[in-house]
Amino acid sequence: EVFACRPGEVIIQEGLDDSSELLLVLDGEFEVTKKDSDANDKAGPVSNLPGFTLATLTAGDIIGEFSFITGEVRSATIKAIAASRLLSIRRIEFELLQGTYGSTYTQFLKNVMRNMAGRARVTSAKEVRNLKLRRRLICGARRSPIRVQARGLTDAISPAPRASTTRFVRAS
């Protein structure tokens, strides 16, 4: 089934929607966001807290493959940011594809797995960059604010080695 989405329309809600269909973006653009779980833990079950934009999806991208395969609730919110069209593949149709067109089913699964591996690779690279930045910021925070301000932001992120403050006193 092909269906149209208006800009601003949420097609998948994180933690709420079931995983009975896989979506293929035919055209348009979608924003993938994830809630800040730390903020949600502190605020309780509030669903309107700000989240983080993880990705922008366009024609040829697959939506909902993680939940479709695992059967778990949706792990992110997907919202149309432009007029878009999606192809919906329901689980029952997917299982019929396996029985009727085995080689097509196998090729489709390989493509889904490639897609998932690519996303995992990108996410992993982003996480490593974030960890490095966090480490640099923590190391830079140990400096006095005046030195950081005088040296500029790049020194705060990537601090220069400290000079030794040890003094030797001559014995009399």
mmCIF file with all atom_site columns, all heavy atoms in Angstrom, residues 13-14 33-52 77:
data_model
loop_
_atom_site.group_PDB
_atom_site.id
_atom_site.type_symbol
_atom_site.label_atom_id
_atom_site.label_alt_id
_atom_site.label_comp_id
_atom_site.label_asym_id
_atom_site.label_entity_id
_atom_site.label_seq_id
_atom_site.pdbx_PDB_ins_code
_atom_site.Cartn_x
_atom_site.Cartn_y
_atom_site.Cartn_z
_atom_site.occupancy
_atom_site.B_iso_or_equiv
_atom_site.pdbx_formal_charge
_atom_site.auth_seq_id
_atom_site.auth_comp_id
_atom_site.auth_asym_id
_atom_site.auth_atom_id
_atom_site.pdbx_PDB_model_num
ATOM 1   N N   . GLN A 1 13 ? 5.559  6.839  16.326 1.00 0.00 ? 13 GLN A N   1
ATOM 2   C CA  . GLN A 1 13 ? 5.811  7.463  17.618 1.00 0.00 ? 13 GLN A CA  1
ATOM 3   C C   . GLN A 1 13 ? 6.679  6.541  18.472 1.00 0.00 ? 13 GLN A C   1
ATOM 4   O O   . GLN A 1 13 ? 6.318  5.380  18.684 1.00 0.00 ? 13 GLN A O   1
ATOM 5   C CB  . GLN A 1 13 ? 4.486  7.735  18.329 1.00 0.00 ? 13 GLN A CB  1
ATOM 6   C CG  . GLN A 1 13 ? 4.620  8.454  19.645 1.00 0.00 ? 13 GLN A CG  1
ATOM 7   C CD  . GLN A 1 13 ? 5.074  9.896  19.484 1.00 0.00 ? 13 GLN A CD  1
ATOM 8   O OE1 . GLN A 1 13 ? 4.545  10.628 18.659 1.00 0.00 ? 13 GLN A OE1 1
ATOM 9   N NE2 . GLN A 1 13 ? 6.059  10.294 20.256 1.00 0.00 ? 13 GLN A NE2 1
ATOM 10  N N   . GLU A 1 14 ? 7.798  7.052  18.936 1.00 0.00 ? 14 GLU A N   1
ATOM 11  C CA  . GLU A 1 14 ? 8.720  6.278  19.766 1.00 0.00 ? 14 GLU A CA  1
ATOM 12  C C   . GLU A 1 14 ? 8.013  5.669  20.970 1.00 0.00 ? 14 GLU A C   1
ATOM 13  O O   . GLU A 1 14 ? 7.294  6.342  21.697 1.00 0.00 ? 14 GLU A O   1
ATOM 14  C CB  . GLU A 1 14 ? 9.854  7.182  20.256 1.00 0.00 ? 14 GLU A CB  1
ATOM 15  C CG  . GLU A 1 14 ? 10.848 6.501  21.159 1.00 0.00 ? 14 GLU A CG  1
ATOM 16  C CD  . GLU A 1 14 ? 11.942 7.437  21.653 1.00 0.00 ? 14 GLU A CD  1
ATOM 17  O OE1 . GLU A 1 14 ? 12.062 8.563  21.148 1.00 0.00 ? 14 GLU A OE1 1
ATOM 18  O OE2 . GLU A 1 14 ? 12.681 7.022  22.554 1.00 0.00 ? 14 GLU A OE2 1
ATOM 19  N N   . THR A 1 33 ? 13.807 11.250 15.239 1.00 0.00 ? 33 THR A N   1
ATOM 20  C CA  . THR A 1 33 ? 14.196 11.819 16.526 1.00 0.00 ? 33 THR A CA  1
ATOM 21  C C   . THR A 1 33 ? 14.080 10.774 17.622 1.00 0.00 ? 33 THR A C   1
ATOM 22  O O   . THR A 1 33 ? 13.284 9.845  17.541 1.00 0.00 ? 33 THR A O   1
ATOM 23  C CB  . THR A 1 33 ? 13.344 13.042 16.906 1.00 0.00 ? 33 THR A CB  1
ATOM 24  O OG1 . THR A 1 33 ? 11.975 12.662 16.947 1.00 0.00 ? 33 THR A OG1 1
ATOM 25  C CG2 . THR A 1 33 ? 13.545 14.182 15.939 1.00 0.00 ? 33 THR A CG2 1
ATOM 26  N N   . LYS A 1 34 ? 14.886 10.958 18.647 1.00 0.00 ? 34 LYS A N   1
ATOM 27  C CA  . LYS A 1 34 ? 14.908 10.066 19.809 1.00 0.00 ? 34 LYS A CA  1
ATOM 28  C C   . LYS A 1 34 ? 14.754 10.935 21.039 1.00 0.00 ? 34 LYS A C   1
ATOM 29  O O   . LYS A 1 34 ? 15.392 11.975 21.150 1.00 0.00 ? 34 LYS A O   1
ATOM 30  C CB  . LYS A 1 34 ? 16.245 9.316  19.839 1.00 0.00 ? 34 LYS A CB  1
ATOM 31  C CG  . LYS A 1 34 ? 16.374 8.326  20.942 1.00 0.00 ? 34 LYS A CG  1
ATOM 32  C CD  . LYS A 1 34 ? 16.041 6.957  20.433 1.00 0.00 ? 34 LYS A CD  1
ATOM 33  C CE  . LYS A 1 34 ? 16.331 5.933  21.511 1.00 0.00 ? 34 LYS A CE  1
ATOM 34  N NZ  . LYS A 1 34 ? 15.185 5.115  21.782 1.00 0.00 ? 34 LYS A NZ  1
ATOM 35  N N   . LYS A 1 35 ? 13.907 10.500 21.970 1.00 0.00 ? 35 LYS A N   1
ATOM 36  C CA  . LYS A 1 35 ? 13.713 11.246 23.215 1.00 0.00 ? 35 LYS A CA  1
ATOM 37  C C   . LYS A 1 35 ? 14.975 11.188 24.055 1.00 0.00 ? 35 LYS A C   1
ATOM 38  O O   . LYS A 1 35 ? 15.749 10.240 23.980 1.00 0.00 ? 35 LYS A O   1
ATOM 39  C CB  . LYS A 1 35 ? 12.564 10.646 24.026 1.00 0.00 ? 35 LYS A CB  1
ATOM 40  C CG  . LYS A 1 35 ? 11.218 10.797 23.391 1.00 0.00 ? 35 LYS A CG  1
ATOM 41  C CD  . LYS A 1 35 ? 10.178 10.125 24.255 1.00 0.00 ? 35 LYS A CD  1
ATOM 42  C CE  . LYS A 1 35 ? 8.856  10.013 23.525 1.00 0.00 ? 35 LYS A CE  1
ATOM 43  N NZ  . LYS A 1 35 ? 7.907  9.215  24.281 1.00 0.00 ? 35 LYS A NZ  1
ATOM 44  N N   . ASP A 1 36 ? 15.130 12.194 24.897 1.00 0.00 ? 36 ASP A N   1
ATOM 45  C CA  . ASP A 1 36 ? 16.212 12.213 25.874 1.00 0.00 ? 36 ASP A CA  1
ATOM 46  C C   . ASP A 1 36 ? 15.750 11.361 27.042 1.00 0.00 ? 36 ASP A C   1
ATOM 47  O O   . ASP A 1 36 ? 14.948 11.792 27.857 1.00 0.00 ? 36 ASP A O   1
ATOM 48  C CB  . ASP A 1 36 ? 16.496 13.652 26.302 1.00 0.00 ? 36 ASP A CB  1
ATOM 49  C CG  . ASP A 1 36 ? 17.607 13.764 27.329 1.00 0.00 ? 36 ASP A CG  1
ATOM 50  O OD1 . ASP A 1 36 ? 18.059 12.714 27.846 1.00 0.00 ? 36 ASP A OD1 1
ATOM 51  O OD2 . ASP A 1 36 ? 18.023 14.886 27.626 1.00 0.00 ? 36 ASP A OD2 1
ATOM 52  N N   . SER A 1 37 ? 16.242 10.129 27.136 1.00 0.00 ? 37 SER A N   1
ATOM 53  C CA  . SER A 1 37 ? 15.753 9.200  28.161 1.00 0.00 ? 37 SER A CA  1
ATOM 54  C C   . SER A 1 37 ? 16.075 9.691  29.566 1.00 0.00 ? 37 SER A C   1
ATOM 55  O O   . SER A 1 37 ? 15.319 9.452  30.497 1.00 0.00 ? 37 SER A O   1
ATOM 56  C CB  . SER A 1 37 ? 16.317 7.798  27.947 1.00 0.00 ? 37 SER A CB  1
ATOM 57  O OG  . SER A 1 37 ? 17.723 7.824  28.027 1.00 0.00 ? 37 SER A OG  1
ATOM 58  N N   . ASP A 1 38 ? 17.186 10.419 29.759 1.00 0.00 ? 38 ASP A N   1
ATOM 59  C CA  . ASP A 1 38 ? 17.505 10.963 31.076 1.00 0.00 ? 38 ASP A CA  1
ATOM 60  C C   . ASP A 1 38 ? 16.452 11.975 31.505 1.00 0.00 ? 38 ASP A C   1
ATOM 61  O O   . ASP A 1 38 ? 15.983 11.959 32.631 1.00 0.00 ? 38 ASP A O   1
ATOM 62  C CB  . ASP A 1 38 ? 18.880 11.642 31.084 1.00 0.00 ? 38 ASP A CB  1
ATOM 63  C CG  . ASP A 1 38 ? 20.011 10.642 30.957 1.00 0.00 ? 38 ASP A CG  1
ATOM 64  O OD1 . ASP A 1 38 ? 19.777 9.445  31.244 1.00 0.00 ? 38 ASP A OD1 1
ATOM 65  O OD2 . ASP A 1 38 ? 21.113 11.053 30.568 1.00 0.00 ? 38 ASP A OD2 1
ATOM 66  N N   . ALA A 1 39 ? 16.045 12.848 30.589 1.00 0.00 ? 39 ALA A N   1
ATOM 67  C CA  . ALA A 1 39 ? 15.029 13.854 30.902 1.00 0.00 ? 39 ALA A CA  1
ATOM 68  C C   . ALA A 1 39 ? 13.694 13.183 31.179 1.00 0.00 ? 39 ALA A C   1
ATOM 69  O O   . ALA A 1 39 ? 12.963 13.570 32.078 1.00 0.00 ? 39 ALA A O   1
ATOM 70  C CB  . ALA A 1 39 ? 14.899 14.854 29.757 1.00 0.00 ? 39 ALA A CB  1
ATOM 71  N N   . ASN A 1 40 ? 13.366 12.158 30.401 1.00 0.00 ? 40 ASN A N   1
ATOM 72  C CA  . ASN A 1 40 ? 12.100 11.456 30.611 1.00 0.00 ? 40 ASN A CA  1
ATOM 73  C C   . ASN A 1 40 ? 12.071 10.733 31.951 1.00 0.00 ? 40 ASN A C   1
ATOM 74  O O   . ASN A 1 40 ? 11.053 10.692 32.620 1.00 0.00 ? 40 ASN A O   1
ATOM 75  C CB  . ASN A 1 40 ? 11.836 10.460 29.480 1.00 0.00 ? 40 ASN A CB  1
ATOM 76  C CG  . ASN A 1 40 ? 11.391 11.156 28.219 1.00 0.00 ? 40 ASN A CG  1
ATOM 77  O OD1 . ASN A 1 40 ? 10.813 12.230 28.274 1.00 0.00 ? 40 ASN A OD1 1
ATOM 78  N ND2 . ASN A 1 40 ? 11.679 10.563 27.082 1.00 0.00 ? 40 ASN A ND2 1
ATOM 79  N N   . ASP A 1 41 ? 13.206 10.157 32.361 1.00 0.00 ? 41 ASP A N   1
ATOM 80  C CA  . ASP A 1 41 ? 13.267 9.473  33.651 1.00 0.00 ? 41 ASP A CA  1
ATOM 81  C C   . ASP A 1 41 ? 12.992 10.445 34.793 1.00 0.00 ? 41 ASP A C   1
ATOM 82  O O   . ASP A 1 41 ? 12.308 10.121 35.743 1.00 0.00 ? 41 ASP A O   1
ATOM 83  C CB  . ASP A 1 41 ? 14.638 8.817  33.859 1.00 0.00 ? 41 ASP A CB  1
ATOM 84  C CG  . ASP A 1 41 ? 14.851 7.618  32.940 1.00 0.00 ? 41 ASP A CG  1
ATOM 85  O OD1 . ASP A 1 41 ? 13.846 7.123  32.373 1.00 0.00 ? 41 ASP A OD1 1
ATOM 86  O OD2 . ASP A 1 41 ? 16.002 7.190  32.785 1.00 0.00 ? 41 ASP A OD2 1
ATOM 87  N N   . LYS A 1 42 ? 13.531 11.665 34.682 1.00 0.00 ? 42 LYS A N   1
ATOM 88  C CA  . LYS A 1 42 ? 13.359 12.656 35.732 1.00 0.00 ? 42 LYS A CA  1
ATOM 89  C C   . LYS A 1 42 ? 11.952 13.248 35.730 1.00 0.00 ? 42 LYS A C   1
ATOM 90  O O   . LYS A 1 42 ? 11.412 13.582 36.767 1.00 0.00 ? 42 LYS A O   1
ATOM 91  C CB  . LYS A 1 42 ? 14.387 13.773 35.568 1.00 0.00 ? 42 LYS A CB  1
ATOM 92  C CG  . LYS A 1 42 ? 15.805 13.311 35.824 1.00 0.00 ? 42 LYS A CG  1
ATOM 93  C CD  . LYS A 1 42 ? 16.807 14.378 35.486 1.00 0.00 ? 42 LYS A CD  1
ATOM 94  C CE  . LYS A 1 42 ? 18.219 13.803 35.573 1.00 0.00 ? 42 LYS A CE  1
ATOM 95  N NZ  . LYS A 1 42 ? 19.196 14.589 34.883 1.00 0.00 ? 42 LYS A NZ  1
ATOM 96  N N   . ALA A 1 43 ? 11.366 13.395 34.538 1.00 0.00 ? 43 ALA A N   1
ATOM 97  C CA  . ALA A 1 43 ? 10.071 14.053 34.431 1.00 0.00 ? 43 ALA A CA  1
ATOM 98  C C   . ALA A 1 43 ? 8.910  13.078 34.498 1.00 0.00 ? 43 ALA A C   1
ATOM 99  O O   . ALA A 1 43 ? 7.769  13.489 34.569 1.00 0.00 ? 43 ALA A O   1
ATOM 100 C CB  . ALA A 1 43 ? 10.006 14.836 33.115 1.00 0.00 ? 43 ALA A CB  1
ATOM 101 N N   . GLY A 1 44 ? 9.185  11.801 34.445 1.00 0.00 ? 44 GLY A N   1
ATOM 102 C CA  . GLY A 1 44 ? 8.106  10.815 34.413 1.00 0.00 ? 44 GLY A CA  1
ATOM 103 C C   . GLY A 1 44 ? 7.686  10.548 32.979 1.00 0.00 ? 44 GLY A C   1
ATOM 104 O O   . GLY A 1 44 ? 8.408  10.858 32.045 1.00 0.00 ? 44 GLY A O   1
ATOM 105 N N   . PRO A 1 45 ? 6.500  10.010 32.804 1.00 0.00 ? 45 PRO A N   1
ATOM 106 C CA  . PRO A 1 45 ? 6.070  9.623  31.451 1.00 0.00 ? 45 PRO A CA  1
ATOM 107 C C   . PRO A 1 45 ? 5.579  10.807 30.621 1.00 0.00 ? 45 PRO A C   1
ATOM 108 O O   . PRO A 1 45 ? 4.440  10.875 30.219 1.00 0.00 ? 45 PRO A O   1
ATOM 109 C CB  . PRO A 1 45 ? 4.940  8.630  31.728 1.00 0.00 ? 45 PRO A CB  1
ATOM 110 C CG  . PRO A 1 45 ? 4.373  9.094  33.034 1.00 0.00 ? 45 PRO A CG  1
ATOM 111 C CD  . PRO A 1 45 ? 5.534  9.645  33.819 1.00 0.00 ? 45 PRO A CD  1
ATOM 112 N N   . VAL A 1 46 ? 6.446  11.772 30.377 1.00 0.00 ? 46 VAL A N   1
ATOM 113 C CA  . VAL A 1 46 ? 6.090  12.945 29.585 1.00 0.00 ? 46 VAL A CA  1
ATOM 114 C C   . VAL A 1 46 ? 6.613  12.730 28.172 1.00 0.00 ? 46 VAL A C   1
ATOM 115 O O   . VAL A 1 46 ? 7.798  12.527 27.975 1.00 0.00 ? 46 VAL A O   1
ATOM 116 C CB  . VAL A 1 46 ? 6.709  14.226 30.195 1.00 0.00 ? 46 VAL A CB  1
ATOM 117 C CG1 . VAL A 1 46 ? 6.372  15.431 29.354 1.00 0.00 ? 46 VAL A CG1 1
ATOM 118 C CG2 . VAL A 1 46 ? 6.219  14.410 31.628 1.00 0.00 ? 46 VAL A CG2 1
ATOM 119 N N   . SER A 1 47 ? 5.723  12.777 27.196 1.00 0.00 ? 47 SER A N   1
ATOM 120 C CA  . SER A 1 47 ? 6.149  12.474 25.830 1.00 0.00 ? 47 SER A CA  1
ATOM 121 C C   . SER A 1 47 ? 6.480  13.714 25.016 1.00 0.00 ? 47 SER A C   1
ATOM 122 O O   . SER A 1 47 ? 6.899  13.610 23.885 1.00 0.00 ? 47 SER A O   1
ATOM 123 C CB  . SER A 1 47 ? 5.056  11.676 25.114 1.00 0.00 ? 47 SER A CB  1
ATOM 124 O OG  . SER A 1 47 ? 3.887  12.451 25.033 1.00 0.00 ? 47 SER A OG  1
ATOM 125 N N   . ASN A 1 48 ? 6.300  14.921 25.566 1.00 0.00 ? 48 ASN A N   1
ATOM 126 C CA  . ASN A 1 48 ? 6.558  16.119 24.771 1.00 0.00 ? 48 ASN A CA  1
ATOM 127 C C   . ASN A 1 48 ? 7.894  16.776 25.097 1.00 0.00 ? 48 ASN A C   1
ATOM 128 O O   . ASN A 1 48 ? 8.126  17.915 24.754 1.00 0.00 ? 48 ASN A O   1
ATOM 129 C CB  . ASN A 1 48 ? 5.418  17.123 24.941 1.00 0.00 ? 48 ASN A CB  1
ATOM 130 C CG  . ASN A 1 48 ? 5.267  17.584 26.380 1.00 0.00 ? 48 ASN A CG  1
ATOM 131 O OD1 . ASN A 1 48 ? 5.900  17.044 27.268 1.00 0.00 ? 48 ASN A OD1 1
ATOM 132 N ND2 . ASN A 1 48 ? 4.415  18.569 26.591 1.00 0.00 ? 48 ASN A ND2 1
ATOM 133 N N   . LEU A 1 49 ? 8.774  16.069 25.786 1.00 0.00 ? 49 LEU A N   1
ATOM 134 C CA  . LEU A 1 49 ? 10.096 16.610 26.063 1.00 0.00 ? 49 LEU A CA  1
ATOM 135 C C   . LEU A 1 49 ? 10.918 16.624 24.780 1.00 0.00 ? 49 LEU A C   1
ATOM 136 O O   . LEU A 1 49 ? 10.726 15.791 23.902 1.00 0.00 ? 49 LEU A O   1
ATOM 137 C CB  . LEU A 1 49 ? 10.809 15.777 27.128 1.00 0.00 ? 49 LEU A CB  1
ATOM 138 C CG  . LEU A 1 49 ? 10.227 15.891 28.530 1.00 0.00 ? 49 LEU A CG  1
ATOM 139 C CD1 . LEU A 1 49 ? 10.896 14.887 29.452 1.00 0.00 ? 49 LEU A CD1 1
ATOM 140 C CD2 . LEU A 1 49 ? 10.391 17.293 29.069 1.00 0.00 ? 49 LEU A CD2 1
ATOM 141 N N   . PRO A 1 50 ? 11.872 17.563 24.672 1.00 0.00 ? 50 PRO A N   1
ATOM 142 C CA  . PRO A 1 50 ? 12.673 17.628 23.448 1.00 0.00 ? 50 PRO A CA  1
ATOM 143 C C   . PRO A 1 50 ? 13.527 16.381 23.278 1.00 0.00 ? 50 PRO A C   1
ATOM 144 O O   . PRO A 1 50 ? 13.902 15.738 24.251 1.00 0.00 ? 50 PRO A O   1
ATOM 145 C CB  . PRO A 1 50 ? 13.541 18.869 23.663 1.00 0.00 ? 50 PRO A CB  1
ATOM 146 C CG  . PRO A 1 50 ? 13.549 19.090 25.126 1.00 0.00 ? 50 PRO A CG  1
ATOM 147 C CD  . PRO A 1 50 ? 12.260 18.540 25.657 1.00 0.00 ? 50 PRO A CD  1
ATOM 148 N N   . GLY A 1 51 ? 13.820 16.077 22.048 1.00 0.00 ? 51 GLY A N   1
ATOM 149 C CA  . GLY A 1 51 ? 14.651 14.922 21.747 1.00 0.00 ? 51 GLY A CA  1
ATOM 150 C C   . GLY A 1 51 ? 15.822 15.330 20.894 1.00 0.00 ? 51 GLY A C   1
ATOM 151 O O   . GLY A 1 51 ? 16.133 16.505 20.748 1.00 0.00 ? 51 GLY A O   1
ATOM 152 N N   . PHE A 1 52 ? 16.466 14.348 20.323 1.00 0.00 ? 52 PHE A N   1
ATOM 153 C CA  . PHE A 1 52 ? 17.629 14.564 19.482 1.00 0.00 ? 52 PHE A CA  1
ATOM 154 C C   . PHE A 1 52 ? 17.308 14.087 18.072 1.00 0.00 ? 52 PHE A C   1
ATOM 155 O O   . PHE A 1 52 ? 16.736 13.023 17.896 1.00 0.00 ? 52 PHE A O   1
ATOM 156 C CB  . PHE A 1 52 ? 18.826 13.776 20.018 1.00 0.00 ? 52 PHE A CB  1
ATOM 157 C CG  . PHE A 1 52 ? 19.201 14.153 21.417 1.00 0.00 ? 52 PHE A CG  1
ATOM 158 C CD1 . PHE A 1 52 ? 18.749 13.412 22.495 1.00 0.00 ? 52 PHE A CD1 1
ATOM 159 C CD2 . PHE A 1 52 ? 19.984 15.267 21.655 1.00 0.00 ? 52 PHE A CD2 1
ATOM 160 C CE1 . PHE A 1 52 ? 19.087 13.760 23.784 1.00 0.00 ? 52 PHE A CE1 1
ATOM 161 C CE2 . PHE A 1 52 ? 20.329 15.628 22.941 1.00 0.00 ? 52 PHE A CE2 1
ATOM 162 C CZ  . PHE A 1 52 ? 19.878 14.879 24.016 1.00 0.00 ? 52 PHE A CZ  1
ATOM 163 N N   . THR A 1 77 ? 10.943 8.374  16.862 1.00 0.00 ? 77 THR A N   1
ATOM 164 C CA  . THR A 1 77 ? 9.794  9.029  16.252 1.00 0.00 ? 77 THR A CA  1
ATOM 165 C C   . THR A 1 77 ? 10.184 9.452  14.850 1.00 0.00 ? 77 THR A C   1
ATOM 166 O O   . THR A 1 77 ? 11.282 9.970  14.636 1.00 0.00 ? 77 THR A O   1
ATOM 167 C CB  . THR A 1 77 ? 9.362  10.254 17.087 1.00 0.00 ? 77 THR A CB  1
ATOM 168 O OG1 . THR A 1 77 ? 8.929  9.793  18.369 1.00 0.00 ? 77 THR A OG1 1
ATOM 169 C CG2 . THR A 1 77 ? 8.241  11.027 16.423 1.00 0.00 ? 77 THR A CG2 1
#
